[in-house]
Amino acid sequence: MKKSILVLEGGAMRSLFTSGVLDILMDNNIDIDCTVGVSAGALVGSNYVSNQRGRTAKININHCNDKKYIGVRAIKNNKGLVGFDYLFGGEIAKENPFDEKEFLNSKKRFVTGVTNCETGKTEFYDKNKENTYKLLQASSSMPLVSKVVEINGKPYLDGAIDCNVPIDWALEQGYEKIVVVLTRNKDYRKKPVSNKMKKMYNLVYKKYPNLLKTMYDRPNKYNETYNKIEKLEKENKIFVFRPENNVDISRLERHQEKLRNLYEEGIEETKNRLDDLKKYLNS
């Protein structure tokens, strides 16, 4: 089989769809050589590499109303709406421990995309023992609701700010079989950043002018990427999983049934297209 890669979009709680897709891949022993993810895509992808079926779904569905994970207590302890301390070292980690040993020893390559606040550009890092959790935290630290994460003295935020779907990175790396998992439906496109949002960005990130420029241009780049993915899919150069309909779920969704339904949609979509995926990977 030709060298393959999983390319995972972010989307915060919309990544429950991705979780469903990857769980079925694990159920069927479909081992992709490399996984690259940004934002929540990196978090979900790490559980694929550590071979922990269902971990993402259990955490996000069972704890979506836990204020230590998302809410007031998280703000107190993390200076942001998401409780990364609770996720990586608190009760969640105790209930659903991340198998870091399996993750690091796996032959599957894992790459995390993070946005450098000083340059406004995405940087990609292979898994490593020293910064496993810092990279995952930085990549999934959403603007305005999360604090900037320092790694080796440099400030980082959400990997999806500059690169919502790292398809170009996958192509540049020379992978021949590219499986993309999106968290938006086919017709979705982003609207321009509103003046109100620009003012909020400028107020919080005025010390990072390159980051601001990237944030303002994000919708254009996002839409260009989605257009490119659609073109490559039509040419049978990539294989794409995506929700069929508009995903009515907020970034920090607390409605358990909505999250469960999205997870199950990812499962069913993958089951229905499993034979097609195998043919693509082996062609």
Side-chain angles (χ1 to χ4, degrees):
M1 186 169 69
K2 296 178 180 178
K3 284 288 184 180
S4 56
I5 185 170
L6 267 172
V7 178
L8 307 180
E9 181 177 15
M13 285 300 194
R14 291 192 302 274
S15 66
L16 263 297
F17 177 84
T18 307
S19 178
V21 174
L22 300 192
D23 282 355
I24 296 305
L25 297 190
M26 283 186 268
D27 285 347
N28 289 273
N29 298 312
I30 296 179
D31 293 327
I32 307 295
D33 298 307
C34 176
T35 298
V36 59
V38 294
S39 198
L43 288 173
V44 180
S46 66
N47 292 318
Y48 171 73
V49 175
S50 65
N51 198 34
Q52 292 180 272
R53 189 208 190 281
R55 183 172 181 268
T56 298
K58 287 177 184 176
I59 290 173
N60 287 326
I61 294 173
N62 294 340
H63 292 274
C64 65
N65 289 299
D66 188 335
K67 293 181 180 179
K68 287 182 284 187
Y69 182 37
I70 301 171
V72 178
R73 292 285 296 278
I75 294 173
K76 180 181 178 181
N77 296 331
N78 293 263
K79 296 182 181 179
L81 275 174
V82 180
F84 289 107
D85 66 326
Y86 192 53
L87 175 63
F88 295 138
E91 292 175 37
I92 291 180
K94 292 176 183 177
E95 292 174 8
N96 304 277
F98 178 60
D99 193 341
E100 188 177 10
K101 183 178 180 181
E102 176 67 23
F103 172 77
L104 293 171
N105 292 334
S106 172
K107 292 180 180 180
K108 299 173 186 172
R109 184 184 180 191
F110 181 79
V111 180
T112 306
V114 291
T115 301
N116 185 316
C117 296
E118 294 176 338
T119 65
K121 300 298 182 184
T122 309
E123 295 176 3
F124 293 94
Y125 292 93
D126 277 274
K127 60 182 177 182
N128 63 81
K129 186 175 182 179
E130 289 73 26
N131 290 323
T132 296
Y133 297 112
K134 277 288 186 181
L135 286 169
L136 291 174
Q137 179 180 348
S139 187
S140 51
S141 290
M142 297 176 286
L144 301 180
V145 300
S146 301
K147 68 177 181 179
V148 170
V149 178
E150 278 202 9
I151 301 176
N152 297 327
K154 294 182 180 181
Y156 293 95
L157 273 176
D158 197 325
I161 297 173
D162 177 51
C163 178
N164 60 301
V165 188
I167 184 70
D168 287 336
W169 185 89
L171 292 167
E172 289 166 4
Q173 291 287 306
Y175 286 97
E176 298 171 283
K177 294 297 176 180
I178 302 174
V179 181
V180 180
V181 185
L182 304 178
T183 56
R184 292 287 196 180
N185 62 298
K186 194 170 187 177
D187 296 329
Y188 179 82
R189 296 295 185 276
K190 278 192 178 295
K191 297 178 181 179
V193 180
S194 67
N195 289 330
K196 180 180 178 180
M197 189 60 72
K198 285 182 179 180
K199 288 179 181 179
M200 292 178 66
Y201 284 152
N202 191 60
L203 181 66
V204 178
Y205 302 112
K206 58 185 177 182
K207 65 185 286 188
Y208 302 120
N210 290 322
L211 179 65
L212 286 173
K213 183 179 177 181
T214 298
M215 287 175 163
Y216 298 160
D217 191 51
R218 188 181 179 220
N220 290 331
K221 191 168 184 179
Y222 186 103
N223 295 341
E224 287 173 2
T225 300
Y226 257 50
N227 291 338
K228 182 172 187 174
I229 287 172
E230 194 170 334
K231 179 177 181 293
L232 290 170
E233 183 182 21
K234 288 178 180 177
E235 295 171 349
N236 200 38
K237 292 180 179 178
I238 64 175
F239 192 96
V240 183
F241 288 107
R242 60 166 69 81
E244 184 177 349
N245 300 309
N246 181 48
V247 180
D248 182 26
I249 283 179
S250 66
R251 291 189 301 172
L252 301 175
E253 182 64 56
R254 291 170 179 259
H255 195 294
Q256 286 185 316
E257 194 61 27
K258 281 186 176 182
L259 295 173
R260 189 174 290 109
N261 289 340
L262 185 60
Y263 171 61
E264 290 175 356
E265 182 181 349
I267 286 175
E268 290 306 311
E269 172 70 9
T270 312
K271 284 182 177 178
N272 292 337
R273 300 183 64 208
L274 200 57
D275 288 342
D276 291 336
L277 174 64
K278 291 177 180 178
K279 288 177 182 177
Y280 169 76
L281 290 173
N282 290 288
S283 62

